[in-house]
């Protein structure tokens, strides 16, 4: 299906062509006509599927056809779970908006930075506001923004929004929105809590399901390398050097591990930076910009970087620590092999985490060959079984097993359990 069959106007199509998009992705082909027709939409669209343009293009087109905003009011609201995603979605919207003959205002607001410039920016009103929920509520509390003119609401990455304790925030935001509006909900997964949110929000939605990343991007090669825990950093250095990885995103389990591993890489003269929620927003933005401009070769990140981030031309991701869940694995992998490019996803596995990797494989219907790199073979004990060596210097709080699910439930795990229990009728348990 060509873009011309989606119902987009010639000026929006020209903006697409200028971005180099030739054909709509599957989620775009289905969502664009539905949004233009004014329907509510429920889309199960994984990261990397082109979901941002799927709502951004028809949303902007509809805004071109309705009157301009009044002071302090927004005409469309896009709620996103993280600051990074806010910047990314805002960039896509502005990119297209700036190419249109009629100027449309896109305002991006998120926490971790001063609220004053954001309040000033909203004074004259805006066409689209892209917001994280916490900062949106702050702005509403300051009377810097009104939501009574919002005619389209987008919940992007709804599953992640719910992870951040969104339910209470949503109750406050929903009260301020007009009852008559279009609602678009995009989510990578459909956990019961997402379905419950969708049931309460959407009216006769057009339902869209596109294939998960593993199917949609068969070009991601996956590899598991057996290695002792204490040799992972050396192996990582070795692979970056010998495989000539120009840009690599390394996932670890904790903020502390991100700091330590990136420091060790720097000591080995590999430009590396940590990326996690303990850093200031300014630092996080800087690290991503430097990574995209190839000023940094390796970014060592927590799962904060697993979803939503769009880093063009990222050939390799490494699971230094295995992800806690199979879903997290999908999202981490989705950082590479984007927009048709090929990618490599490497998982380090030591005997202690072998069972956990098997669980992830089972969930994805995969069976990865265990490879060994010469010089980094796992040590074997007297019985010939490789043993996993826990680093003697593991700092307090750093889980040497890489925060593997089942070892110790995190706060997030507990929250998910409660949400799952609340959304399952007793008869289903
Ligand atoms: P998203 O899933 O929205 O994060 O988009 C993933 C990547 O696909 C981004 O780099 C987009 O610029 C790119 N993209 C989105 N739509 C298209 C398209 N129709 N053709 C080619 N690339 C696209």
């Amino acid at each position: 299906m060509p873009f011309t069959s989606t119902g987009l106007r010639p000026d929006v199509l020209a903006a697409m062509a200028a971005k180099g998009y030739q054909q709509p992705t599957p989620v775009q082909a289905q969502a664009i006509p539905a949004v233009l027709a004014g329907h509510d939409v429920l889309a199960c669209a994984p990261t990397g599927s082109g979901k941002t343009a799927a709502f951004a293009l028809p949303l902007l087109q509809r805004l071109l056809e309705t009157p301009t905003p009044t002071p302090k009011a927004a005409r469309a609201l896009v709620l996103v779970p993280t600051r990074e995603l806010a910047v990314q979605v805002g960039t896509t919207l502005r990119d297209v908006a700036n190419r249109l003959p009629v100027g449309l205002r896109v305002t991006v607001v998120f926490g971790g930075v001063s609220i004053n410039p954001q309040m000033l920016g909203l004074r004259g009103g805006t066409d689209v506001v892209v917001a994280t929920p916490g900062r949106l509520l702050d702005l509403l509390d300051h009377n810097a923004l009104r939501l009574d003119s919002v005619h389209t609401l987008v919940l992007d990455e709804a599953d992640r929004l719910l992870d951040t304790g969104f339910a209470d925030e949503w109750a406050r935001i929903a009260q301020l929105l007009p009852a008559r509006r279009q609602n678009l909900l995009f989510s990578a997964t459909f956990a019961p809590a997402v379905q419950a949110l969708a049931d309460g929000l959407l009216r006769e939605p057009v339902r869209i399901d596109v294939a998960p990343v593993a199917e949609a991007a068969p070009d991601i090669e996956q590899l598991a390398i057996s290695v002792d825990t204490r040799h992972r950093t050396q192996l990582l250095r070795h692979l970056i050097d010998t495989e000539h990885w120009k840009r690599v995103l390394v996932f670890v389990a904790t903020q502390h591990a991100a700091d330590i591993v990136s420091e060790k890489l720097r000591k080995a003269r590999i430009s590396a930076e940590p990326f996690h929620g303990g850093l200031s927003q300014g630092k996080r933005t800087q690290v991503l910009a430097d990574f995209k401009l190839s000023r940094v070769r390796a970014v060592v990140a927590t799962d904060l970087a697993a979803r939503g981030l769009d880093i063009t031309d990222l050939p390799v991701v490494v699971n230094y620590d295995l992800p806690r869940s199979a879903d997290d694995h999908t999202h981490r992998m989705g950082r590479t092999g984007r927009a048709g490019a090929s990618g490599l996803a490497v998982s380090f596995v030591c005997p202690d985490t072998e069972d956990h990797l098997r669980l992830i494989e089972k969930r994805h219907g995969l069976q990865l060959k265990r490879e060994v790199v010469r010089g980094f073979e796992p040590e074997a004990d007297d019985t010939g079984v490789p043993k996993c060596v826990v680093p003697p210097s593991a700092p307090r709080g750093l889980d040497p097993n890489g925060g593997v699910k089942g070892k110790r439930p995190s706060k997030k795990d507990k929250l998910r359990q409660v949400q799952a229990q609340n959304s399952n009728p007793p008869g289903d348990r």
Side-chain angles (χ1 to χ4, degrees):
M1 179 198 213
F3 263 120
T4 42
S5 310
T6 55
L8 289 173
R9 292 163 37 141
D11 41 14
V12 180
L13 287 173
M16 281 298 81
K19 274 181 78 72
Y21 296 177
Q22 285 162 1
Q23 272 204 319
T25 63
V27 66
Q28 290 165 2
Q30 294 173 72
I32 294 171
V35 178
L36 287 177
H39 295 296
D40 280 7
V41 167
L42 175 61
C44 185
T47 184
S49 59
K51 66 183 169 55
T52 316
F55 64 77
L57 302 177
L59 176 68
L60 290 172
Q61 173 155 328
R62 279 169 68 83
L63 287 169
L64 285 173
E65 289 155 5
T66 47
T68 49
T70 50
K72 291 192 183 177
R75 300 200 288 152
L77 169 64
V78 183
L79 280 172
V80 294
T82 65
R83 300 160 188 182
E84 280 72 25
L85 192 58
V87 172
Q88 213 166 281
V89 169
T91 305
T92 301
L93 282 160
R94 280 197 186 122
D95 226 29
V96 179
N98 289 341
R99 295 173 204 263
L100 298 175
V102 181
L104 288 175
R105 293 182 66 181
V106 177
T107 309
V108 179
V109 295
F110 48 79
V113 292
S114 167
I115 197 169
N116 294 333
Q118 296 177 355
M119 290 173 63
L120 277 177
L122 287 167
R123 262 210 313 223
T126 187
D127 293 293
V128 190
V129 62
V130 182
T132 52
R135 178 51 58 97
L136 179 73
L137 286 170
D138 288 346
L139 287 161
L140 294 167
D141 288 345
H142 281 84
N143 288 324
L145 178 65
R146 291 194 346 253
L147 299 181
D148 50 4
S149 313
V150 168
H151 57 65
T152 305
L153 167 76
V154 183
L155 300 188
D156 192 15
E157 302 210 355
D159 48 347
R160 270 190 99 193
L161 270 171
L162 287 167
D163 278 352
T164 58
F166 178 63
D168 290 343
E169 292 166 329
W170 171 241
R172 285 185 60 202
I173 296 166
Q175 278 182 347
L176 302 171
L177 290 164
R180 259 178 73 87
R181 57 169 199 268
Q182 183 181 32
N183 301 292
L184 316 175
L185 188 150
F186 288 76
S187 186
T189 52
F190 267 109
V194 178
Q195 192 59 57
L197 177 68
D199 289 346
L201 182 73
L202 306 172
R203 262 165 302 186
E204 297 174 27
V206 172
R207 172 138 191 170
I208 298 167
D209 269 292
V210 298
V213 168
E215 288 166 41
D219 250 5
I220 300 176
E221 183 190 345
Q222 290 202 60
L223 199 68
I225 301 182
S226 299
V227 58
D228 280 332
T229 305
R230 65 176 175 164
H231 292 140
R232 287 176 301 175
T233 310
Q234 284 159 280
L235 175 60
L236 180 63
R237 274 168 36 195
H238 174 80
L239 289 172
I240 291 174
D241 280 340
T242 56
E243 299 296 315
H244 308 292
W245 290 342
K246 296 261 171 300
R247 200 182 271 160
V248 53
L249 180 58
V250 181
F251 284 104
V252 293
T254 64
Q255 297 183 359
H256 185 80
D259 292 336
I260 297 289
V261 174
S262 55
E263 195 185 318
K264 284 187 178 160
L265 291 177
R266 279 199 302 275
K267 281 189 180 149
R269 296 208 187 82
I270 293 169
S271 56
E273 289 290 340
F275 182 87
H276 55 70
L279 301 172
S280 70
Q281 186 54 42
K283 175 73 183 169
R284 278 155 60 175
T285 309
Q286 185 63 50
V287 169
L288 285 184
D290 287 345
F291 197 36
K292 287 178 185 176
L293 291 171
S294 297
R295 290 194 199 122
V296 167
R297 195 169 172 192
V299 165
V300 187
T302 58
D303 276 298
L304 178 66
R307 300 207 212 178
L309 288 192
D310 180 30
I311 300 152
T312 322
D313 194 17
L314 174 63
V316 190
V317 294
V318 173
N319 284 328
Y320 181 102
D321 287 317
L322 290 179
R324 293 180 67 83
S325 71
D327 279 349
D328 287 343
H329 184 69
T330 305
H331 292 301
R332 287 182 177 191
M333 280 195 343
R335 299 307 101 218
T336 184
R338 288 169 78 76
S342 59
L344 174 68
V346 177
S347 295
F348 289 169
V349 58
C350 83
D352 242 20
T353 55
E354 180 60 46
D355 285 351
H356 185 58
L357 184 59
R358 272 201 216 111
L359 276 177
I360 292 173
E361 288 176 318
K362 200 167 155 206
R363 278 282 305 277
H364 288 297
L366 285 171
Q367 203 165 10
L368 304 179
K369 202 168 135 235
R370 306 305 188 248
E371 306 207 359
V372 172
V373 176
R374 188 178 300 176
F376 296 93
E377 298 85 352
E379 285 179 23
D381 62 19
D382 300 342
T383 62
V385 177
K387 69 172 190 270
C388 184
V389 186
V390 173
S393 57
R396 243 147 50 104
L398 172 57
D399 181 351
N401 294 312
V404 168
K405 200 169 203 147
K407 295 273 172 194
R408 180 164 44 92
S410 68
K411 236 163 90 183
K412 214 164 103 180
D413 289 336
K414 287 179 194 158
L415 200 74
R416 282 197 190 118
Q417 277 163 11
V418 172
Q419 278 171 346
Q421 274 163 12
N422 290 345
S423 50
N424 277 348
D428 286 349
R429 276 190 215 137

